[in-house]
């Protein structure tokens, strides 16, 4: 099994030099799994930050030949679960097909004091 860790230059840079944005796992027989690090984005409210997060995820996936439609698992960390409906509305703008498996939890805070949301995903690429 081959694993490649990557910080694609076509996507937003990681906020720290201590992690990689994408772990690509080549699967036997072709195809790959992409594990993306949690993403945050600046913005005045949860909706704006959520849109920024999905744009960053899209850029990271695109750098590896994937799209948001290839997401099979999504994990969301919110600092206020009462805003879940606001996040859900934005999420449905970006994830328009069959929904992936999902976990959403409330956390007391994220690693940046202004961050209201962090999202990490796993995507699957078919053999070509």
């Amino acid at each position: 099994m081959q694993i490649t860790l990557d910080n694609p230059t076509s996507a937003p840079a990681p906020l720290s030099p201590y992690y990689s944005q994408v772990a690509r796992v080549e699967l036997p027989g072709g195809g790959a799994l992409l594990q993306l690090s949690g993403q945050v984005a600046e913005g005045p409210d949860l909706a704006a930050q959520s849109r920024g997060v999905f744009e960053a995820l899209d850029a990271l996936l695109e750098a590896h030949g994937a799209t948001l439609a290839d997401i099979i698992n999504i994990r969301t960390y919110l600092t206020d679960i009462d805003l879940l409906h606001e996040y859900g509305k934005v999420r449905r703008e970006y994830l328009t097909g069959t929904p992936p498996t999902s976990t959403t939890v409330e956390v007391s805070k994220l690693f940046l004091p202004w961050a209201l949301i962090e999202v990490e995903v796993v995507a699957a690429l078919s053999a070509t």
Side-chain angles (χ1 to χ4, degrees):
M1 175 174 20
Q2 178 182 344
I3 300 172
T4 304
L5 300 174
D6 188 27
N7 289 311
T9 58
S10 59
L15 298 174
S16 160
Y18 302 113
Y19 69 96
S20 296
Q21 298 270 65
V22 180
R24 182 184 181 112
V25 180
E26 302 299 332
L27 300 174
L33 287 178
L34 303 174
Q35 171 73 52
L36 275 58
S37 290
Q39 300 296 307
V40 298
E42 293 183 350
D45 57 27
L46 181 62
Q49 288 187 21
S50 297
R51 284 187 181 89
V53 163
F54 279 103
E55 293 297 324
L57 291 169
D58 190 41
L60 290 164
L61 291 167
E62 184 179 335
H64 282 267
T67 69
L68 294 170
D70 296 312
I71 294 172
I72 61 170
N73 180 263
I74 185 167
R75 287 175 298 281
T76 305
Y77 307 93
L78 295 171
T79 59
D80 185 354
I81 202 74
D82 290 335
L83 299 177
L84 179 61
H85 66 283
E86 188 175 340
Y87 163 65
K89 185 176 176 181
V90 173
R91 179 175 150 163
R92 286 186 297 277
E93 292 173 19
Y94 289 89
L95 302 180
T96 58
T98 303
T101 62
S102 178
T103 300
T104 302
V105 296
E106 181 179 53
V107 296
S108 62
K109 60 183 172 180
L110 295 164
F111 73 103
L112 292 171
W114 48 262
L116 303 173
I117 184 170
E118 183 170 351
V119 178
E120 61 184 26
V121 301
V122 176
L125 292 173
S126 299
T128 53

